Amino acid sequence: MDTGKTRQDQPWWHPDQLAARRPHLMARGQAVAATRGFFALRDFVEVETPCLQISPGMEPHLKWFETRLTDPYGGPDQPLCLHTSPEFAMKKLLAGGMERIWQMARVFRNAERSKTHAPEFTMLEWYRAGAGLEALMLDCEGLVRTCAEAVGVEALTRNGRSCDPFLSWRRLSVAEAFTTYAGIDLLATAPDPLAPDRDRIAAEATRIGVSVSPSDQWDDIVFRVMFDRIEPHLGFDRPVILHSWPLAMAALARPDPEDGRVAQRFEIYALGVELANAFGELTDPVEQRRRFAADQALARSLYGAAPPHDEDFLAALEFGLPNSAGIALGFDRLVMLLTGAERLDQVLWAPVAGR
């Protein structure tokens, strides 16, 4: 039936719209199957944890969805959040004795929508007890190559450019990236690794022509320099592992025992897109509580509200989280690069409602 509507006016479920996305969606299914096979061969257990949690996650720059759980027996409602990552629940499983776990989780981040962002998306997350970041780096290389082979492509593609995951992946420290692409000695702007100097990074950013607002914190400016001067150079012949993040940006990662200025954290980039974020997991409950308090204080100062923290997660740390490493990979973004899709919604079976 011809309604006279253009392609842009058609709903996402229209046969023409679905037909245009179908090759990407078939490739998505192949990548999902390859992912399950990849982890099965390595003796990982697939787990499923609830989307509804006490705490959505503690990243102060992420906005979360709130809801309330109604007691069917007349008790008080319980405030809950949709998780921004399954991290806390999966680490509790590590504390309970699980050793190699993974899941394909639906996660939720409010106020996110762009060509590479969606308010609901798929996070591929996995953990290895008794392992370090090197094991996760090798996992990532193997997983991306396995998915590429399953889809039948030899390279990741985006906007007419390609990246070969079958080449040896480049390893680059964050400090090296700032020196190479921005001409900034990043660690010199944090003489106290836990209290970096906002004015120093602001002066450096201004010097190279990156705009700075009076309300910007040190990490806001670092991310702006990253976005403007560094990310556009990452992963345009082969994927890049960006490692050794400043300690002030450790999130849930432990300090590097060989260099106390940085944390055991890396991110993976391909074609300028951040694909994954990995930590050598922090196991110290006292330090974790301090970081949660600092994150909440920052969130309140920026947005007037802060996410609740999960006391049960801190109890799991006190009980004993084993030395472990974990990583979260944006699965939709990986499918985008495997298929050459221009936008995230082209690799989703259905978009989130709204504009």
Side-chain angles (χ1 to χ4, degrees), residues 50-123:
C51 297
L52 287 171
Q53 295 286 337
I54 294 292
S55 174
M58 295 302 293
E59 167 56 57
H61 295 288
L62 295 181
K63 296 184 182 295
W64 65 97
F65 290 91
E66 295 178 288
T67 187
R68 303 191 72 81
L69 179 64
T70 299
D71 188 331
Y73 304 105
D77 287 357
Q78 180 182 8
L80 291 176
C81 307
L82 291 173
H83 64 185
T84 58
S85 160
E87 181 170 8
F88 292 169
M90 292 184 77
K91 286 183 180 176
K92 292 174 188 178
L93 292 175
L94 291 179
M98 301 299 292
E99 295 181 349
R100 294 186 183 187
I101 55 176
W102 76 282
Q103 74 169 306
M104 196 89 74
R106 304 296 294 183
V107 299
F108 305 84
R109 297 182 180 183
N110 210 346
E112 291 198 4
R113 197 187 290 268
S114 73
K115 288 185 176 181
T116 57
H117 295 83
E120 178 182 348
F121 62 97
T122 301
M123 183 85 83

Side-chain angles (χ1 to χ4, degrees), residues 339-351:
T339 61
E342 296 179 1
R343 306 183 313 276
L344 204 67
D345 59 13
Q346 292 175 313
V347 301
L348 303 179
W349 279 98

Side-chain angles (χ1 to χ4, degrees), residues 209-265:
V210 174
S211 63
V212 174
S213 166
S215 62
D216 284 338
Q217 305 287 324
W218 181 86
D219 57 341
D220 295 321
I221 301 169
V222 170
F223 281 126
R224 189 166 296 129
V225 174
M226 281 277 299
F227 178 78
D228 190 64
R229 299 301 174 89
I230 295 171
E231 287 184 359
H233 298 282
L234 298 180
F236 283 93
D237 60 340
R238 67 195 69 201
V240 171
I241 299 172
L242 193 65
H243 63 84
S244 303
W245 285 69
L247 190 60
M249 305 174 81
L252 278 75
R254 57 178 175 257
D256 189 324
E258 297 181 2
D259 186 346
R261 300 174 300 170
V262 299
Q264 292 186 338
R265 174 185 178 185

Side-chain angles (χ1 to χ4, degrees), residues 167-352:
L167 295 175
S168 177
W169 291 20
R170 184 184 180 195
R171 300 190 182 191
L172 182 70
S173 73
V174 175
E176 289 169 337
F178 268 74
T179 299
T180 301
Y181 299 118
I184 293 175
D185 183 347
L186 180 62
L187 296 181
T189 71
D192 179 348
L194 292 177
D197 191 324
R198 183 264 178 204
D199 291 339
R200 289 194 188 189
I201 190 64
E204 289 294 282
T206 301
R207 177 180 62 80
I208 65 172
V210 174
S211 63
V212 174
S213 166
S215 62
D216 284 338
Q217 305 287 324
W218 181 86
D219 57 341
D220 295 321
I221 301 169
V222 170
F223 281 126
R224 189 166 296 129
V225 174
M226 281 277 299
F227 178 78
D228 190 64
R229 299 301 174 89
I230 295 171
E231 287 184 359
H233 298 282
L234 298 180
F236 283 93
D237 60 340
R238 67 195 69 201
V240 171
I241 299 172
L242 193 65
H243 63 84
S244 303
W245 285 69
L247 190 60
M249 305 174 81
L252 278 75
R254 57 178 175 257
D256 189 324
E258 297 181 2
D259 186 346
R261 300 174 300 170
V262 299
Q264 292 186 338
R265 174 185 178 185
F266 71 80
E267 291 188 352
I268 291 175
Y269 284 82
L271 297 165
V273 175
E274 179 200 336
L275 275 182
N277 189 15
F279 300 148
E281 302 298 346
L282 181 65
T283 59
D284 181 347
V286 175
E287 172 60 14
Q288 188 64 80
R289 187 179 291 276
R290 184 199 68 78
R291 292 189 192 181
F292 280 173
D295 288 339
Q296 287 179 312
L298 177 58
R300 289 192 187 98
S301 70
L302 293 174
Y303 310 115
H309 68 260
D310 184 346
E311 282 291 340
D312 191 46
F313 172 66
L314 293 170
L317 292 188
E318 291 171 359
F319 179 81
L321 182 70
N323 286 331
S324 53
I327 185 166
L329 182 147
F331 192 75
D332 310 301
R333 289 184 178 181
L334 176 58
V335 176
M336 269 184 61
L337 300 185
L338 289 168
T339 61
E342 296 179 1
R343 306 183 313 276
L344 204 67
D345 59 13
Q346 292 175 313
V347 301
L348 303 179
W349 279 98
V352 174

